[in-house]
């Protein structure tokens, strides 16, 4: 596990060694602002909470998380540094975990920088801080799930644009699987329990529960499971590329 | 166990291209092997199989007795590898990059400090230690790659075109370094430059289309050329061995 922390620290520092971090953080905060104040009617609602802010997170992540995830493995392949990593005496598990955790921590930093919004509502009114905490937790878990999917897809190619597109499409699927349009499509011909199973895969449902202040262990487990499964797939993809 | 590096019956195909087609390689300690062959002969692929970056379709690799497929971590610890083109993280400085590698190779405290000082010294990197790798010249980038391969003082070195793109002075330096290291280490280096083989290698292996077509000392290679060839005798042997072999490369479907 020491290797995980070494890789984590190198990766995490690399975000701040390049303009990537600054550009990403500025865009993230800018979009958070637009969504919350312009589209979300933050002030007009006259309520001291962060619902308009968190409501937009799934859509924000749909494009911003793939932008972080696309480079994870595709960039290593393009630079040739993947050859270096994979000939080090380190297990695939440690490589995958180290890189993933660094990217996730970077997203956590972005999320943490929205803290002034919380201070604003706390100043304007008397928000339910418990709800805000669970919303942040749900948002972070959802970001991690998106990221794990993106990391696995990024291992497939050395082209970051392809990785980005694949990732947006996959994340889109996970978001929309709970929507009536999609469900109606499945309900027509599938047994109900299968359609329900697909609906229960939706990120949206699990995130919404948490953003209402309900921490159900099942929601937490769900996101953790998605991360675990996709990181495992990530390692399998790398192994498969090695033998192909 | 006298062979530090033992690769037996290596095969690797990419689609229909047989990149490595039955390569055997046994290298005892202290031997410097020059790995020769035209572009696309399979030199880099063979090295990727030896270092465990790729898995062979068939065959086995043992480094200092440790099997690359069964005990990859142990086998990888014995190897210092310079991949083709000397890839490194462009946004890091040479110092940061080599410290990262030292850390991941479990070199800690004063041992790490000494290891870094030793390789910075060996490849003369001191002056650019705190410059981002992306701003370094090709020669310095290559040196960073060589330093990375030497950092943990491994018994086996696999160097893919270590002098490619260097100027004559830098080539000379790298060759001297390899000759020094070759006294105690097992080294396999690939190159296009035949004088290099004469200068530093005790043994030359020529591969063509994934197969070994010559394996012997540079003197034996020289002896293969008829007396009528007055100059560039190794070139003559190389060309003869790698252009008359017209076996088909495609797998028949
Ligand atoms: N990842 C790959 N995918 C498909 N073909 C490859 C790949 N790597 C190498 N090859 C092919 O395998 C053959 C051997 O390549 P390589 O080992 O790089 O040769 P060398 O290093 O001797 O120039 C070439 O025909 C090359 O095109
Ligand atoms: Mg090559």
């Amino acid at each position: 596990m020491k290797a995980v922390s070494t890789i984590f620290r190198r990766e995490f520092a690399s975000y701040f060694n390049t303009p990537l971090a600054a550009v990403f953080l500025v865009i993230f905060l800018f979009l958070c602002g637009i969504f919350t104040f312009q589209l979300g009617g933050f002030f007009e609602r006259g309520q001291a909470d962060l619902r308009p802010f968190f409501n937009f997170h799934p859509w924000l992540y749909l494009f911003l998380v793939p932008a972080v995830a696309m480079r994870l493995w595709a960039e290593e392949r393009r630079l040739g540094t993947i050859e270096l990593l994979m000939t080090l005496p380190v297990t695939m598990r440690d490589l995958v975990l180290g890189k993933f955790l660094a990217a996730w921590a970077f997203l956590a930093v972005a999320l943490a920088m929205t803290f002034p919004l919380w201070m604003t509502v706390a100043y304007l009114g008397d928000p339910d801080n418990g709800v805000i905490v669970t919303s942040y937790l749900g948002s972070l878990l959802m970001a991690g799930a998106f990221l794990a999917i993106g990391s696995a897809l990024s291992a497939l190619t050395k082209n970051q644009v392809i990785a980005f597109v694949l990732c947006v499409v996959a994340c889109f699927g996970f978001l929309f699987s709970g929507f009536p349009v999609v469900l109606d499509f499945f309900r027509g011909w599938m047994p109900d329990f299968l359609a329900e199973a697909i609906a229960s895969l939706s990120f949206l449902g699990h995130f919404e529960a948490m953003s209402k202040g309900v921490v159900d262990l099942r929601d937490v487990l769900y996101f953790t499971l998605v991360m675990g499964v996709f990181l495992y797939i990530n390692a399998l993809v790398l192994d498969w590329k090695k033998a192909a | 166990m006298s062979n530090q590096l033992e690769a037996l019956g290596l095969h690797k195909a990419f689609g229909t291209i047989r990149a490595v087609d039955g390569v055997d390689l046994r290298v005892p300690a202290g031997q410097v092997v020059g790995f020769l062959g035209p572009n696309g002969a399979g030199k880099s692929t063979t090295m990727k199989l030896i270092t465990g970056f790729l898995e062979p379709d068939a065959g086995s690799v043992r480094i200092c007795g440790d099997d690359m497929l069964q005990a990859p971590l142990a086998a990888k610890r014995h190897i210092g590898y310079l991949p083709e083109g000397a890839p490194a993280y462009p946004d890091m400085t040479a110092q940061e990059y080599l410290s990262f590698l030292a850390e991941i190779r479990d070199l800690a405290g004063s041992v790490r400090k000494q290891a870094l000082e030793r390789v910075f010294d060996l490849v003369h990197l001191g002056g650019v230690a705190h410059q981002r790798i992306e701003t370094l010249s090709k020669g310095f980038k290559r040196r960073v790659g060589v330093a990375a391969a030497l950092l943990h003082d491994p018994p086996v070195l696999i160097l893919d075109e270590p002098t490619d793109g260097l100027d004559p002075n830098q080539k000379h330096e790298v060759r001297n370094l390899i000759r020094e290291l070759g006294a105690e280490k097992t080294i396999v280096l690939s190159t296009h430059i035949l004088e290099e083989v004469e200068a530093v290698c005790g043994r030359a292996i020529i591969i063509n289309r994934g197969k070994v077509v010559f394996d012997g000392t540079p003197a034996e290679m020289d002896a293969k050329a008829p007396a009528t060839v007055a100059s560039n005798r190794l070139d003559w042997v190389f060309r003869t061995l790698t252009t008359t072999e017209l076996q088909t490369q495609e797998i028949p479907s």
Side-chain angles (χ1 to χ4, degrees):
Chain A
M1 285 314 256
K2 205 189 122 273
V4 176
S5 114
T6 309
I7 290 167
F8 174 92
R9 274 178 288 125
R10 195 214 75 78
E11 282 282 320
F12 190 70
S14 84
Y15 286 98
F16 299 93
N17 271 343
T18 57
L20 184 85
V23 170
F24 183 88
L25 292 175
V26 166
I27 291 180
F28 181 80
L29 294 175
F30 177 72
L31 289 179
C32 279
I34 295 238
F35 279 153
T36 309
F37 295 109
Q38 300 291 321
L39 302 170
F42 180 75
F43 292 117
E44 291 79 355
R45 291 171 72 245
Q47 288 180 30
D49 65 20
L50 285 178
R51 280 203 63 79
F53 168 63
F54 285 112
N55 278 344
F56 284 108
H57 279 203
W59 314 108
L60 200 57
Y61 289 158
L62 183 57
F63 293 99
L64 289 185
V65 175
V68 171
M70 67 181 189
R71 57 180 286 287
L72 276 174
W73 293 98
E75 174 86 345
E76 300 271 358
R77 239 183 242 294
R78 192 181 60 79
L79 290 174
T81 42
I82 189 165
E83 204 160 332
L84 245 139
L85 281 184
M86 294 184 36
T87 53
L88 287 171
V90 177
T91 61
M92 199 69 90
R93 186 201 64 185
D94 289 359
L95 290 177
V96 169
L97 268 184
K99 284 178 75 75
F100 168 79
L101 290 175
W104 199 18
F106 175 66
L107 291 176
V109 168
L111 200 53
M113 287 176 79
T114 63
F115 185 66
L117 276 177
W118 189 353
M119 306 218 307
T120 309
V121 286
Y123 174 78
L124 291 174
D126 184 20
D128 184 337
N129 289 319
V131 170
I132 292 177
V133 168
T134 63
S135 302
Y136 267 114
L137 181 66
S139 178
L140 187 60
L141 284 171
M142 184 171 59
F146 274 127
L147 189 64
I149 295 173
S151 181
L153 291 170
S154 157
L156 282 170
T157 172
K158 68 172 154 195
N159 185 322
Q160 297 200 25
V161 177
I162 294 178
F164 178 81
V165 173
L166 286 177
C167 185
V168 171
V169 170
C171 294
F172 200 74
F174 267 90
L175 265 186
F176 263 90
S177 68
F179 268 51
V181 249
V182 183
L183 280 184
D184 288 346
F185 168 76
F186 286 120
R187 280 217 180 91
W189 50 278
M190 258 185 190
D192 270 358
F193 77 91
L194 265 183
E196 291 310 318
I198 289 175
S200 72
L201 281 179
S202 169
F203 282 12
L204 229 38
H206 293 279
F207 174 62
E208 264 166 10
M210 292 187 82
S211 64
K212 289 192 180 105
V214 188
V215 183
D216 189 330
L217 197 60
R218 275 174 304 182
D219 296 324
V220 176
L221 265 181
Y222 167 74
F223 284 123
T224 317
L225 199 68
V226 171
M227 283 186 249
V229 166
F230 277 92
L231 291 178
Y232 184 68
I233 292 175
N234 189 347
L236 286 186
V237 169
L238 293 170
D239 272 330
W240 166 69
K241 284 255 167 188
K242 206 170 140 170
Chain B
M1 263 304 296
S2 60
N3 288 327
Q4 298 271 81
L5 190 170
E6 206 167 68
L8 301 177
L10 287 185
H11 286 265
K12 182 77 182 177
F14 298 107
T16 58
I17 299 168
R18 288 179 180 165
V20 177
D21 194 9
V23 168
D24 290 313
L25 199 59
R26 294 182 185 82
V27 191
Q31 196 168 56
V32 181
V33 178
F35 209 38
L36 305 169
N39 278 326
K43 303 181 293 294
S44 297
T45 308
T46 305
M47 290 179 153
K48 287 173 191 181
L49 295 174
I50 291 173
T51 53
F53 176 62
L54 294 177
E55 260 168 39
D57 299 334
S60 66
V61 173
R62 287 176 88 79
I63 312 290
C64 301
D66 286 311
D67 190 288
M68 185 54 81
L69 291 174
Q70 252 99 67
L73 297 194
K76 284 171 180 175
R77 273 190 200 101
H78 304 304
I79 301 180
Y81 177 37
L82 172 71
E84 191 166 21
Y89 293 107
D91 54 296
M92 298 178 99
T93 67
Q95 170 80 35
E96 287 166 350
Y97 177 61
L98 292 167
S99 304
F100 159 68
L101 290 176
E103 191 178 333
I104 214 159
R105 289 192 180 275
D106 283 333
L107 303 173
S110 63
V111 180
R112 182 187 307 172
K113 200 162 162 283
Q114 276 166 20
L116 288 171
E117 274 168 15
R118 186 178 56 84
V119 293
F120 271 106
D121 233 37
L122 271 176
V123 300
H124 310 292
L125 263 179
V128 298
H130 298 289
Q131 219 173 303
R132 279 172 169 239
I133 292 174
E134 66 191 344
T135 68
L136 296 179
S137 69
K138 207 167 176 183
F140 272 115
K141 270 185 198 154
R142 192 61 43 115
R143 288 188 215 188
V144 171
V146 173
L150 294 174
L151 193 59
H152 50 301
D153 201 17
V156 176
L157 284 175
I158 310 288
L159 310 172
D160 201 348
E161 304 194 4
T163 58
D164 178 49
L166 301 188
D167 69 36
N169 298 335
Q170 296 167 331
K171 277 185 183 151
H172 182 75
E173 248 175 56
V174 171
R175 280 177 206 159
N176 280 344
L177 176 62
I178 291 171
R179 209 176 299 128
E180 267 169 51
L181 294 167
E184 49 182 29
K185 292 187 193 303
T186 304
I187 304 179
V188 178
L189 64 98
S190 72
T191 176
H192 289 295
I193 306 159
L194 295 167
E195 316 103 69
E196 196 154 294
V197 177
E198 258 180 323
V200 299
C201 302
R203 179 176 168 195
I205 294 178
I206 304 179
I207 70 166
N208 189 33
R209 295 167 188 259
K211 287 192 161 74
V212 174
V213 293
F214 175 86
D215 185 349
T217 63
E220 284 164 350
M221 193 170 155
D222 185 275
K224 286 193 84 126
T228 50
V229 181
S231 61
N232 291 335
R233 291 172 59 81
L234 293 186
D235 275 34
W236 187 92
V237 176
F238 179 88
R239 279 201 313 276
T240 312
L241 286 173
T242 57
T243 50
T244 54
E245 304 268 338
L246 288 174
Q247 74 265 53
T248 169
Q249 192 183 10
E250 306 281 306
I251 296 171
S253 51

